[in-house]
Amino acid sequence: MISKSFIKKQKEKLEKELKKSLAQIETLKKDDPFADPDHASDNAAVDTDVREQVGHETIEAQIKDLKRRVKEINLALVKISKNHYGKCERCQKPIVLARLNLIPEARFCITCEKKL
């Protein structure tokens, strides 16, 4: 059984990570070269267009990863609210506290994670 104080700490950690991830997404969106409304008509040199394209694709990949993390964090917060936090989604066994401490949004025990 997971103690209430551990769950409370995990919830606080998850909420902090959620805010951080959402802020990072917004910052990345602003840094995206394609976010500039003048981008489409700026007649930039080919090498500038290539750099902008690579920059855009890099930012899109980072945003995709952050959105996946946000989804996992939200799922963990829902589990906390429903008293299901810390159970492996696959085998229903408890996830080791050390793993939860390191990865608060962990969905699977180490054994099941290795099987995925």
Side-chain angles (χ1 to χ4, degrees):
M1 192 82 181
I2 301 176
S3 72
K4 289 182 180 182
S5 64
F6 181 81
I7 290 176
K8 182 180 177 187
K9 287 178 188 174
Q10 294 302 92
K11 183 178 179 184
E12 290 169 358
K13 193 184 296 187
L14 286 162
E15 288 171 341
K16 183 178 177 182
E17 282 299 312
L18 179 63
K19 286 181 184 177
K20 180 180 169 186
S21 295
L22 291 171
Q24 285 177 311
I25 289 170
E26 290 307 310
T27 299
L28 286 167
K29 284 181 179 180
K30 290 176 187 171
D31 291 344
D32 187 344
F34 286 15
D36 181 5
D38 295 330
H39 167 76
S41 61
D42 67 1
N43 294 324
V46 172
D47 61 332
T48 302
D49 281 343
V50 170
R51 277 195 305 272
E52 287 177 347
Q53 181 68 35
V54 170
H56 169 71
E57 290 172 1
T58 301
I59 287 172
E60 285 292 308
Q62 290 172 324
I63 289 172
K64 183 179 178 183
D65 286 343
L66 284 166
K67 284 182 176 181
R68 179 190 46 77
R69 180 151 167 75
V70 165
K71 185 178 177 182
E72 290 173 358
I73 291 169
N74 281 325
L75 182 61
L77 289 169
V78 167
K79 287 181 179 183
I80 288 172
S81 71
K82 293 183 175 184
N83 295 320
H84 292 130
Y85 183 72
K87 284 185 183 178
C88 177
E89 289 182 10
R90 194 167 195 202
C91 69
Q92 300 303 308
K93 291 180 183 175
I95 299 172
V96 178
L97 294 183
R99 177 169 170 76
L100 288 172
N101 203 29
L102 186 62
I103 309 166
E105 68 277 11
R107 297 170 52 200
F108 304 100
C109 67
I110 293 171
T111 305
C112 290
E113 184 77 38
K114 287 179 182 178
K115 293 177 184 177
L116 296 177

